[in-house]
Amino acid sequence: KKTFQGPFKACHDVVKPSDFYRNCLYDVCMSDGAKKILCQVLEAYATTCKKQGAVVHDWRTPSGCRKQQGAGSASS
């Protein structure tokens, strides 16, 4: 977040990360740092960015979030 570099950098001007960031902080803190919550927030931001036409690079590898099999994987 500090440098705004990384897999989401092309999206920051299209979809402001501030709401996602605040929600992530709250949700992760309330769940004792649950990685599952972090991954869900990153997935939501990536999906929103892509819907707005922004390029999102691989965020799963640096975050350690694996793609969930089955649930919600229908392609459009």
Side-chain angles (χ1 to χ4, degrees):
K1 182 178 179 335
K2 287 181 182 179
T3 63
F4 287 99
Q5 297 301 310
F8 296 105
K9 67 182 175 183
C11 184
H12 293 317
D13 288 336
V14 178
V15 179
K16 298 297 179 199
S18 55
D19 288 339
F20 289 90
Y21 182 73
R22 272 194 302 276
N23 290 339
C24 183
L25 280 178
Y26 178 80
D27 292 345
V28 170
C29 287
M30 294 304 290
S31 61
D32 294 324
K35 187 168 189 169
K36 179 180 176 185
I37 301 294
L38 170 65
C39 293
Q40 288 173 350
V41 172
L42 291 175
E43 174 113 41
Y45 188 59
T47 300
T48 303
C49 291
K50 289 175 185 176
K51 284 182 181 177
Q52 295 298 318
V55 174
V56 177
H57 298 282
D58 176 32
W59 57 271
R60 291 185 185 280
T61 300
S63 67
C65 296
R66 291 185 290 154
K67 187 165 185 147
Q68 292 186 358
Q69 301 298 321
S73 63
S75 56
S76 50

